């Protein structure tokens, strides 16, 4: 790519002539900007033209032409999004330029355009960066002391792990006390450390020394660096030994910025070492009382609220400040932050939340979405069993008034928090069920899937809620306007299933049949339609049965006759339906209808042995079995008995399903099947569709009862719920279970629960996360350094690198040994950079960061 | 830490963009578009904080320009709000009554100021006076002595430096 050295040939004369023309008539950046501004409409063509100019100019041998071309390209790339990856090599060519301006241009272009993973030429910059970083110590460029700040920028923005590990030793002199660029070097060091953990042995000690620098900027940068290093994805534990140093910064620093960062570090350390809390609570309270800077006060509040909840004095101060924030009507920012911190208070200090309840409720109506969000979060955080009715009703009412997006967010959070831990928040299920119905009716509601899931789930789990469920379902079904809303199809399908399954609670079966067969049901998708028709069958069976038993005054001859004719009239045409699900169910239903209709007079012929009686009884028995929830893990927990060979007869089967099935499936391509997960209610329902299947199922159940969940006796008594599913026996009772059992003794209806497979899953993933944090190479390396190990594993990676790195390693090792033994004067000062350590050690407090953990305990006691 | 800083006008034209985390070009474009959409329609009476993906954007509007900073979710909002204001004050002092055109034509100087102010996503200097003093020195180095230096060094450049690595 590089142009060969100029030869005295005609081509070179030509090229130099053209490059001369380029440089003479080159347009500057100002020209480019002016032409762009003069005619905004033809911007693309201007850019395209100048890009082609730039491509030519940037190959010029004249550095000035080259640099101006690069400048223009940088402008176009950063503000008009034109890739400048083609210029990476030319940028590298300009990096060594002796002119500060060109150098700066090249560095700017590099730091804006280089990307650690996609710029392949990045390794070529190593040497130049090394030269520029070390130029400070060489006398030639002492006239230009800011030079190394340029490579520091590049290093912090576009460095790869490789580059970082090569250049790490060059940073050490810059971190020294005498360096004018110490603060900048600190910031770059933090990036290098987080990119390349193997540099820890070289860089970490100098970085720690910067915490006790005289220069407040260095201290600020160092605290910032440690704040970032200990930030959440990393493990803060290795930084515990630094607590004394950071505490000193907290007490002595005058910069709010530094204090905020120091507080952030403490908020990560205090949970690991609670005794730190008693130390920092005093300066914190001072800041809370005296500081004029809102940002510092905010940080203090956050720290107190999140990690010092036991210090009542500080807590009270913080809560007062939160209230101050909340009451600042003129500044939405402060109100927002007030709400945010209020949300952090949630579990332990509900009284404070209660006091601000009105403000929070008012904030829900704020025009600013950010404030609404926070208010919603606080609202959910302070929702408990005792006030769930009040809060949720308020929220749902608010959702009805809000704009679609926020309304759905409200609904979402109400739905998730109420259904959490098997509806722990809900005491009054009648109320909750009607709330679900209300939610479904909100105009913008798009949460139909979740609402329908919960409706069915409550139906299965909470026996006492069923009458109310049926009432809510009826209201949803009889409203023809809901049928046009495609977000509600699942809700309607769930409602249809509920009114079919729990039809015994229905007040008027005829009305139900009319609702289920109203003309607008043709708008429903097939899956919902199938559920509707199946429910009609259930209602019909129930009605016939109760008519024969004379158990219901609502059902009489005329009602049954009307029902039958209505069904025949509306469902009849569907028998030819294209969809298998619908067709199947319609045919079942029509079969029953015709059977019943054939025997004209039901009531006159009270012949208990008659056929009609038999049919209705069988059908009713089919549907009267109660369905319970099935644990997701149930199948897994059943072990296969030894004498059962599941694969035994499968080979014989292949004979039967050879040609016929293949042919059938080919001849009937229009049949539609729905995926199992399509609809929760459907899945539950599919089981008892045909008599034959059900009876064989019953037989099977009788024989292999062990492998079935007992469906009859589960929800009767509270104590039974614990052992309801057989499969649950192996689970040890968790804390959650005991608290729930206590709650069950209240008036709250029983909620059938199965094993908490999800809970187990989350807790295990959490523990793996913690392990992953422990394995983090950065924190491991830092731990090694702080605890005085030699870090052999880490330093071995430096063996292959250049001599300058070797020096760095020696230096650190030497210092470690020194600090361990506590004999500073004895070790030889072979390296210049060493002096700063010695310097620092002398005024250093007795608590050295390089010692073992006891350090921190001394500090605390 | 600061993930990126954006200066955009009301039309969504980017006047300055600096990223402190490596992003692909296409991603940068998307981010700038999304941030503009987020902040441009907000009422002046609204909060200056908006959630953006897994981070948050702290923005402030000065005349027709939006200064947006994307920071971590745990960062202190008020501190960064002050930080934006400080940056604007510095620009204002440096260009004496800064306007959008100043930023357009002095593209490189704005980056120079920003680099003095923030490095690796961390605030370097909180004193306005210190930065302005420093800028004076740097301006001398980069923008006045410059032409002279180029004239002197140009003939040597090719032989001396190009392939030294």
């Amino acid at each position: 790519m590089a142009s060969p050295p100029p030869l005295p040939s005609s081509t070179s004369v030509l090229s130099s002539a053209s490059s001369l023309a380029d440089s003479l008539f080159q347009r500057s950046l100002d020209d480019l900007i002016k032409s762009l501004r003069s005619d905004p409409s033809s911007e693309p063509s201007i850019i395209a033209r100048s890009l082609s100019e730039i491509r030519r100019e940037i190959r010029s041998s004249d550095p000035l032409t080259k640099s101006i071309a690069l400048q223009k390209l940088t402008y176009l790339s950063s503000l008009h999004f034109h890739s400048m990856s083609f210029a990476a090599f030319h940028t590298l060519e300009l990096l060594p330029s002796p002119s500060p301006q060109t150098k700066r241009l090249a560095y700017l272009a590099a730091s804006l355009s280089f990307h650690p993973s996609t710029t392949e030429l990045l390794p070529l910059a190593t040497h130049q960066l090394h030269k520029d970083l070390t130029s400070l110590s060489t006398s030639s460029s002492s006239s230009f002391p800011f030079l190394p700040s340029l490579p520091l920028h590049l290093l912090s923005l576009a460095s790869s792990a490789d580059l970082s590990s090569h250049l790490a030793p060059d940073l050490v002199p810059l971190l020294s006390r005498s360096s004018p660029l110490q603060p900048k070097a600190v910031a770059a060091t933090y990036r290098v450390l987080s990119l390349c953990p193997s540099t820890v042995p070289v860089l970490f000690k100098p970085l720690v020394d910067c915490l006790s620098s005289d220069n407040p900027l260095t201290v600020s940068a160092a605290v910032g660096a440690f704040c970032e290093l200990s930030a959440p994805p990393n493990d803060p534990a290795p930084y515990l030994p630094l607590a004394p140093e950071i505490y000193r910064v907290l007490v002595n620093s005058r910069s709010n910025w530094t204090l905020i960062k120091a507080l952030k570090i403490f908020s990560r350390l205090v949970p690991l070492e609670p005794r730190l809390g008693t130390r920092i609570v005093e300066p914190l309270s001072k800041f809370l009382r005296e500081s004029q800077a809102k940002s510092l006060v905010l940080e203090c509040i956050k720290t107190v609220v999140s990690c010092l909840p036991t210090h009542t004095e500080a807590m009270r101060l913080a809560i007062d400040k939160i209230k101050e924030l909340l009451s600042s009507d003129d500044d939405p920012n402060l109100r927002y932050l007030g709400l945010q911190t209020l949300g952090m208070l949630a579990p332990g200090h509900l009284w404070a939340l209660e006091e601000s309840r009105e403000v929070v409720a008012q904030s829900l109506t704020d025009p600013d979405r950010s404030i609404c969000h926070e208010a919603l979060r606080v609202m959910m955080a302070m929702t408990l069993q005792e006030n769930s009715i009040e809060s949720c009703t308020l929220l749902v009412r608010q959702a009805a008034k809000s704009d679609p997006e926020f309304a759905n967010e409200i609904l979402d959070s109400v739905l998730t928090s109420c259904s959490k831990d098997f509806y722990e928040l809900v005491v009054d299920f009648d109320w909750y069920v009607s709330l679900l119905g209300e939610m479904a009716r909100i105009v913008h509601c798009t949460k139909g899937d979740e609402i329908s899931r919960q409706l069915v789930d409550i139906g299965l789990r909470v026996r006492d809620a069923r009458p109310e469920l049926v009432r809510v379902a009826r209201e949803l079904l009889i409203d023809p306007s809901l049928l046009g809303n495609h977000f509600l199809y699942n809700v309607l399908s769930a409602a249809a299933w509920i009114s079919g399954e729990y039809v015994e609670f229905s007040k008027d079966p005829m009305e139900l049949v009319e609702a289920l067969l109203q003309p607008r049901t043709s708008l429903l998708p097939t899956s919902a339609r199938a559920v509707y028709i199946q429910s009609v069958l259930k209602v019909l069976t129930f009605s016939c049965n109760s008519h024969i038993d004379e158990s219901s005054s609502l059902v009489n001859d005329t009602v049954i006759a009307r029902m039958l004719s209505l069904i025949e009239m509306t469902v009849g045409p569907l028998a030819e339906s294209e969809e298998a699900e619908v067709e199947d169910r319609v045919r079942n239903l029509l079969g029953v209808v015709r059977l019943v209709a054939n025997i004209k007079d039901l009531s006159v012929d009270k012949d208990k042995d008659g056929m009609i009686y038999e049919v209705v009884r069988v059908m009713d028995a089919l549907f009267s079995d109660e369905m319970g929830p099935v644990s997701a893990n149930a199948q897994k927990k059943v072990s296969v008995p030894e004498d059962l060979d599941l694969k035994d007869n499968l080979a014989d089967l292949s004979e039967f399903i050879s040609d016929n099935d293949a042919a059938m499936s080919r001849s009937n391509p229009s049949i539609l099947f729905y995926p199992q997960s399509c609809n929760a209610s459907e899945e539950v329902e599919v089981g008892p569709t045909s008599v034959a299947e059900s009876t064989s199922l019953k037989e099977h159940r009788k024989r292999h009862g062990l492998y079935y969940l007992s469906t009859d006796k589960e929800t009767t008594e509270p104590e039974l719920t614990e052992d309801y599913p057989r499969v649950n026996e192996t689970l040890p009772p968790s804390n959650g279970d005991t608290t729930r059992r206590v709650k069950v003794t209240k008036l709250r209806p029983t909620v059938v629960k199965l094993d908490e497979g999800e809970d187990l899953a989350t807790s295990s993933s959490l523990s793996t996360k913690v392990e992953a944090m422990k394995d983090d190479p950065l924190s491991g390396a830092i731990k090694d350094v702080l605890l005085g190990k030699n870090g052999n594993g880490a330093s071995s990676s430096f063996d292959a690198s250049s001599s300058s790195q070797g020096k760095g390693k020696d230096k650190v090792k030497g210092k470690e040994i020194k600090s361990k033994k506590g004999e500073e004067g004895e070790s030889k000062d072979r390296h210049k950079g060493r002096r700063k350590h010695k310097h620092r050690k002398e005024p250093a407090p007795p608590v050295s960061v390089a010692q073992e953990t006891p350090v921190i305990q001394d500090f605390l006691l | 830490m600061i993930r990126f800083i954006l200066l955009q006008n009301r039309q969504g034209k980017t006047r300055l963009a600096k990223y402190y985390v490596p992003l692909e070009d296409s991603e940068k474009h998307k981010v700038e578009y999304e941030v503009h959409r987020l902040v441009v329609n907000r009422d002046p009476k609204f909060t200056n904080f908006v959630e953006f993906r897994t981070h948050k954007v702290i923005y402030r509007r000065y005349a027709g320009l939006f200064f947006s900073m994307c920071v971590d979710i745990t960062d202190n909002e008020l501190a960064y709000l002050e930080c934006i204001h400080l940056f604007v004050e510095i620009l204002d002092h440096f260009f004496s009554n800064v306007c959008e055109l100043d930023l357009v034509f002095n593209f490189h100087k704005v980056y120079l100021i920003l680099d003095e102010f923030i490095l690796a996503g961390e605030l370097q200097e909180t004193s306005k006076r210190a930065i302005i003093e420093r800028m004076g020195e740097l301006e001398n180095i980069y923008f006045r002595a410059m032409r002279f230096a180029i004239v002197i060094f140009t003939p040597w450049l090719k032989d001396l430096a190009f392939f030294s690595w």
Side-chain angles (χ1 to χ4, degrees), chain A residues 169-410:
Chain A
D170 298 331
L171 285 173
V172 176
L174 291 177
L175 286 172
S176 71
R177 184 164 294 233
S178 55
S179 156
L181 291 167
Q182 202 183 14
K184 294 193 171 200
V186 168
T189 302
Y190 129 68
R191 282 306 266 272
V192 168
L193 278 178
S194 52
L195 265 174
C196 180
S198 63
T199 57
V200 167
V202 183
L203 292 175
F204 197 71
K205 294 246 168 220
L207 189 60
V208 171
D209 292 343
C210 287
L211 274 179
S212 48
S213 162
D214 302 330
N215 182 354
L217 289 181
T218 307
V219 175
S220 168
V223 172
F226 283 112
C227 179
E228 288 305 316
L229 284 173
S230 62
N234 300 327
D235 178 17
Y239 306 96
L240 260 178
L242 296 179
E245 305 273 342
I246 297 165
Y247 179 76
R248 205 166 305 118
V249 173
L250 188 68
V251 177
N252 296 331
S253 176
R254 308 215 149 269
S255 151
N256 288 333
W257 188 264
T258 316
L259 291 173
I260 288 171
K261 296 275 175 184
L263 282 176
K264 275 208 189 301
I265 302 179
F266 272 116
S267 70
R268 286 165 199 148
L269 295 184
V270 170
L272 301 171
E273 181 53 270
R275 284 173 300 172
L276 274 175
T278 46
R279 275 311 277 253
I280 63 164
V281 76
E282 195 187 321
L284 263 177
S285 313
K286 202 185 93 199
F287 294 142
L288 274 174
R289 269 192 299 268
E290 293 167 12
S291 177
Q292 295 296 309
K294 285 266 192 305
S295 51
L296 181 60
V297 170
L298 174 70
E299 199 57 45
C300 290
I301 296 174
K302 282 186 180 173
T303 314
V304 170
V305 166
S306 63
C307 51
L308 303 172
T310 49
H311 296 84
T312 29
E313 188 70 14
M315 207 62 196
R316 196 165 304 131
L317 263 173
I319 289 171
D320 285 347
K321 287 285 173 188
I322 293 178
K323 282 186 187 150
E324 243 171 66
L325 290 178
L326 280 175
S327 62
S328 47
D329 289 329
D330 50 334
D331 191 342
N333 287 339
L334 297 184
R335 252 186 313 140
Y336 171 83
L337 295 170
L339 285 169
Q340 199 184 47
T341 43
L342 199 62
M344 293 164 76
L345 273 176
H349 296 264
L350 283 167
W351 54 272
L353 289 175
E354 280 303 324
E355 284 175 18
S356 315
R357 195 182 186 85
E358 267 181 36
V359 188
V360 178
Q362 215 176 9
S363 303
L364 277 176
T365 57
D366 200 278
D368 184 1
R369 184 64 62 76
S370 303
I371 291 184
C372 293
H373 275 297
E374 279 313 317
L376 179 60
R377 258 176 240 174
V378 177
M379 216 46 189
M380 289 333 295
M382 61 187 188
T383 302
L384 295 175
Q385 257 194 2
E386 298 86 59
N387 59 18
S388 61
I389 296 188
E390 195 186 332
S391 318
C392 292
T393 316
L394 181 102
L395 283 172
V396 171
R397 207 165 294 149
Q398 183 57 41
K401 285 184 280 183
S402 307
D403 58 321
E405 203 183 321
F406 188 55
N408 279 307
E409 269 162 44
I410 295 181

Side-chain angles (χ1 to χ4, degrees), chain A residues 843-856:
Chain A
V847 281
S848 157
V849 283
Q851 284 166 22
E852 290 269 357
T853 31
V855 170
I856 179 115

Side-chain angles (χ1 to χ4, degrees), chain A residues 2-3 6 29-30 33-34 37 43 61-64 66-67 71 74-75 78-84 89 92-94 96-102 104-105 108 111-113 115-118 124 127-128 131 144-147 149-150 152-153 156-157 180-181 183-184 187-188 190-191 217 220-221 224-225 228 231-232 255 257 260-261 264 268 293-296 298-299 302 332-334 336-337 340 366-371 373-374 377, chain B residues 1-3 7-8 12-26 28-30 32-33 42-51 56 59-60 72-83 100-101 103-127 130 134 137-138 141-147 149-151 153-165:
Chain A
S3 58
L29 177 62
D30 274 7
I33 297 173
K34 272 177 197 151
R37 289 189 61 80
E43 195 182 284
S61 54
D62 173 31
L64 187 60
K66 210 183 189 67
S67 68
Q71 188 181 28
T74 315
Y75 179 82
S78 64
L79 301 188
H80 294 272
F81 310 109
H82 289 282
S83 167
M84 57 183 292
F89 186 78
L92 285 175
E93 277 183 318
L94 287 175
S97 161
S99 105
Q101 166 141 50
T102 314
R104 157 137 189 101
L105 275 178
L108 180 67
S111 63
L112 287 179
S113 68
H115 190 280
S117 54
T118 56
L124 296 182
H127 180 70
Q128 187 54 43
K131 261 176 77 176
F144 183 40
F146 300 112
L147 187 60
S149 79
L150 297 173
L152 286 179
H153 277 284
S156 65
L157 291 183
L181 291 167
K184 294 193 171 200
Y190 129 68
R191 282 306 266 272
L217 289 181
S220 168
E228 288 305 316
S255 151
W257 188 264
I260 288 171
K261 296 275 175 184
K264 275 208 189 301
R268 286 165 199 148
K294 285 266 192 305
S295 51
L296 181 60
L298 174 70
E299 199 57 45
K302 282 186 180 173
N333 287 339
L334 297 184
Y336 171 83
L337 295 170
Q340 199 184 47
D366 200 278
D368 184 1
R369 184 64 62 76
S370 303
I371 291 184
H373 275 297
E374 279 313 317
R377 258 176 240 174
Chain B
M1 80 178 250
I2 304 168
R3 303 277 147 164
L7 256 75
Q8 295 167 311
K13 279 232 182 289
T14 305
R15 293 304 182 201
L16 175 83
K18 181 98 183 178
Y19 293 83
Y20 296 98
V21 283
L23 285 183
E24 294 293 343
D25 282 350
S26 56
K28 287 181 185 173
H29 200 164
K30 223 164 88 191
E32 284 169 36
Y33 176 74
R42 286 178 66 86
D43 193 280
K45 284 189 198 120
F46 285 6
T47 52
N48 297 89
F49 323 124
V50 212
E51 280 174 27
K56 59 191 171 196
Y59 76 95
R60 214 161 170 160
D72 290 342
I73 208 81
T74 52
D75 274 327
N76 190 312
E77 291 91 345
L78 292 177
Y80 284 102
L81 206 59
E82 286 163 20
C83 172
E100 197 178 334
L101 269 188
L103 305 181
V104 170
F105 279 100
N106 295 292
F107 165 72
H108 281 84
K109 287 188 191 171
V110 180
Y111 272 116
L112 192 66
I113 299 173
L114 190 61
D115 283 350
E116 255 338 280
F117 190 46
I118 295 165
L119 200 158
E122 293 293 321
L123 202 65
Q124 282 291 309
E125 177 63 87
T126 47
S127 149
R134 188 69 179 277
E137 296 171 38
L138 289 180
I141 295 169
Y142 289 126
F143 294 101
R144 300 230 172 97
M146 227 24 27
R147 320 228 167 263
I150 286 172
V151 171
F153 284 110
T154 303
W156 306 94
L157 204 91
K158 200 160 41 191
D159 308 330
L160 276 182
F162 265 23
F163 303 108
S164 54
W165 40 264

Side-chain angles (χ1 to χ4, degrees), chain A residues 644-784:
Chain A
L644 180 68
D645 189 353
L646 285 171
K647 293 176 183 166
D648 191 22
N649 297 326
L650 287 181
D652 306 343
L653 266 179
S654 62
E655 284 174 28
F656 297 105
I657 51 167
S658 54
D659 306 336
N660 283 345
D661 291 76
M664 260 174 64
S665 62
R666 239 177 285 131
S667 69
N668 228 349
S670 66
I671 292 180
L672 291 172
F673 290 102
Y674 299 97
Q676 282 284 341
S677 58
C678 176
N679 188 336
S681 59
E682 188 125 326
E683 226 171 282
V684 179
E685 199 190 35
V686 162
T689 35
S690 78
V691 184
E693 188 193 313
S694 167
T695 47
S696 70
L697 206 75
K698 271 183 186 158
E699 271 178 41
H700 194 261
R701 184 192 290 265
K702 215 178 284 168
R703 260 191 293 157
H704 302 287
L706 176 68
Y707 304 120
Y708 279 90
L709 297 178
S710 56
T711 45
D712 313 344
K713 52 180 181 180
E714 75 270 52
T715 48
T716 43
E717 280 123 347
E719 57 268 26
L720 271 180
T721 55
E722 282 307 312
D723 57 13
Y724 153 51
R726 224 175 279 268
V727 290
N728 221 358
E729 280 171 3
T730 51
L731 276 182
S734 66
N735 289 341
D737 277 345
T738 54
T739 57
R740 251 173 246 138
R741 206 182 303 166
V742 173
K743 275 168 193 163
V744 165
T745 56
K746 292 181 197 165
L747 279 175
R748 186 170 180 264
T750 318
V751 180
V752 180
K753 287 162 224 148
L754 298 165
D755 56 354
E756 280 94 46
E758 283 172 81
D759 294 0
L760 290 174
T762 51
S763 69
S764 70
S765 75
L766 221 137
S767 66
T768 53
K769 198 179 158 199
V770 169
E771 271 166 36
M773 270 168 73
K774 291 269 153 62
D775 290 343
D776 177 21
L778 178 62
S779 55
I782 289 171
K783 230 180 249 167
D784 287 352

